């Protein structure tokens, strides 16, 4: 495992151990997630390949790249939604680093209910549309053992307020909410259990620009307040500029550059990143 960390091929200029060490030193603990040699092909087509990185506690990692570059494939493999063809995804648990790909299914499911959370691009993929807003939030709490109705409802009310949904909407179903409200509800449902690692796939995609901006502000506040570790996929550089400490740039399934967000965006080394930043490729 230690060898793996050192052996990881850092693509591009590779913001390596030195920069990531900032987080290690500050927190006084090892990486939360260690990924090595991750690969997923769809038949002959590359989904993602040769992806290696460490994520430190409290760190926000942005994954950017054009459409089809492998961002969602990578995130799905990391989060255990998709089985990769090769590689390791090690997660820090009370019993040390555990290979989440080799874990027994019940243990992996427990991880997804407790330490991990996943915010989908389309809120309806991450919500139960037939259940009330309060039920959506409460359900996650019940999945980790909460049983007291009053406390569950109280926590749900608190979380609705945190994501700026009025408490009197608690019994409404998500289908009665706007797109932005649904996305905020999905975030409340995911964060109510205090996960240690949150995966997000284009959480602001598909929303109006003004709604996006408010959601981003809210997300940034929650991430900082809760000290969350986040892996966020987006093709919007403004999103990573605001949220991400570190950035990975993907092209054709490969990581072509990674480093501290400001460095990568202000002084891109790889030709593709330069194009991305110069907004030639931005939609
Ligand atoms: N289920 C699938 N079957 C076959 N090929 C797939 C499948 N899902 C993704 N791919 C292919 O894998 C590559 C990476 O796709 P992926 O969805 O990971 O890209 P992305 O970076 O998330 O794109 P976008 O920004 O459009 O969401 C693409 O060539 C895509 O066609
Ligand atoms: Mg995608």
């Amino acid at each position: 495992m230690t060898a793996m960390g050192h052996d990881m091929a850092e693509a591009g200029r590779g913001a390596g151990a030195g920069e990531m060490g900032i987080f290690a030193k500050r927190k006084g603990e090892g990486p939360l997630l260690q990924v090595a040699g991750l690969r997923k092909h769809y038949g002959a087509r590359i989904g993602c390949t040769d992806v290696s990185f460490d994520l430190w506690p409290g760190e926000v990692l942005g994954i950017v790249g054009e459409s089809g570059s492998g961002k969602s494939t990578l995130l799905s493999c990391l989060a255990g939604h998709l089985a990769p063809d090769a590689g390791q995804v090690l997660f820090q648990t009370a019993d040390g680093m555990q290979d989440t790909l080799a874990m027994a299914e019940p243990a992996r499911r427990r991880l997804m209910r407790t330490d991990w959370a996943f915010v989908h691009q389309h809120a309806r993929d991450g919500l139960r549309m037939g259940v009330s807003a309060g039920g959506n939030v409460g359900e996650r709490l019940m999945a980790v053992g909460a049983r007291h109705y009053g406390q569950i409802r109280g926590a749900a009310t608190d979380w609705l307020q945190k994501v700026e949904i009025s408490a009197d909407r608690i019994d409404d179903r998500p289908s009665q909410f706007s797109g932005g409200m649904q996305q905020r509800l999905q975030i409340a449902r995911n964060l109510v259990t205090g996960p240690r690692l949150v995966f997000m796939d284009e959480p602001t995609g598909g929303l109006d620009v003004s709604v996006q901006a408010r959601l981003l502000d809210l997300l940034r506040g929650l991430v900082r307040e809760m000290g969350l570790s986040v892996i966020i996929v987006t093709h919007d550089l403004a999103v990573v500029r605001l949220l991400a400490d570190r950035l990975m740039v993907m092209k054709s399934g490969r990581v072509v550059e990674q480093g501290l967000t400001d460095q990568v965006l202000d002084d891109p080394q790889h030709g593709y990143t330069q194009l991305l930043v110069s907004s030639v490729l931005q939609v």
Side-chain angles (χ1 to χ4, degrees):
M1 183 180 79
T2 322
M4 186 190 85
H6 292 298
D7 284 346
M8 288 181 178
E10 298 272 353
R13 95 169 88 227
E19 285 166 359
M20 289 184 264
I22 296 167
F23 285 89
K25 277 181 210 136
R26 202 178 64 199
K27 298 282 174 179
E29 46 192 323
L32 187 65
L33 195 75
Q34 283 192 303
V35 179
L38 205 64
R39 185 180 80 217
K40 172 71 186 172
H41 283 204
Y42 300 100
R45 184 178 301 132
I46 296 177
C48 65
T49 193
D50 200 21
V51 179
S52 301
F53 66 91
D54 288 352
L55 182 80
W56 295 88
E59 187 178 25
V60 179
L61 172 69
I63 302 177
V64 297
E66 65 190 337
S67 181
S69 57
K71 306 181 297 296
S72 294
T73 300
L74 171 59
L75 199 71
S76 299
C77 288
L78 294 174
H81 295 172
L82 196 61
D85 303 326
Q88 276 186 312
V89 179
L90 305 182
F91 181 70
Q92 183 196 85
T93 70
D95 304 322
M97 297 302 280
Q98 298 238 341
D99 187 345
T100 62
L101 302 176
M103 253 179 202
E105 196 52 30
R108 189 136 53 108
R109 287 191 175 281
R110 197 173 323 117
L111 201 62
M112 289 180 181
R113 272 202 316 271
T114 55
D115 280 348
W116 289 9
F118 196 104
V119 176
H120 294 264
Q121 173 172 1
H122 301 292
R124 62 181 167 274
D125 295 334
L127 289 174
R128 292 232 286 142
M129 298 304 280
V131 171
S132 69
N136 265 283
V137 179
E139 195 178 50
R140 267 282 284 198
L141 282 173
M142 289 171 69
V144 295
R147 288 290 173 267
H148 187 284
Y149 177 80
Q151 283 170 5
I152 293 172
R153 197 168 167 92
T157 309
D158 285 350
W159 265 95
L160 289 182
Q161 281 165 352
K162 270 194 199 188
V163 297
E164 298 164 9
I165 294 173
S166 160
D168 63 10
R169 306 295 300 266
I170 191 168
D171 295 319
D172 288 358
R173 296 192 173 177
S175 53
Q176 295 166 271
F177 287 176
S178 70
M181 284 169 79
Q182 288 179 4
Q183 198 54 299
R184 282 180 274 136
L185 179 62
Q186 191 195 184
I187 288 164
R189 174 178 162 96
N190 270 280
L191 299 189
V192 66
T193 49
R196 294 164 65 211
L197 175 56
V198 186
F199 300 97
M200 299 185 188
D201 193 353
E202 301 273 11
T204 59
L207 300 171
D208 301 348
V209 175
S210 64
V211 177
Q212 271 185 23
R214 266 188 67 199
L215 185 67
L216 261 181
D217 260 359
L218 177 76
L219 266 179
R220 184 163 68 159
L222 290 171
V223 164
R224 298 287 179 255
E225 186 184 312
M226 298 174 74
L228 292 174
S229 303
V230 179
I231 301 183
I232 180 170
V233 158
T234 178
H235 61 263
D236 187 343
L237 295 184
V239 170
V240 286
R241 174 80 85 178
L242 206 63
L243 283 181
D245 302 300
R246 199 155 51 90
L247 212 54
M248 251 169 42
V249 183
M250 293 188 72
K251 182 182 187 329
S252 311
R254 292 173 191 278
V255 177
V256 295
E257 181 161 357
Q258 54 179 313
L260 294 179
T261 302
D262 290 345
Q263 284 180 12
V264 172
L265 294 183
D266 295 340
D267 183 22
Q269 301 296 304
H270 192 280
Y272 175 71
T273 318
Q274 290 167 356
L275 275 177
L276 206 64
V277 169
S278 69
S279 87
V280 173
L281 295 180
Q282 287 199 61
V283 281

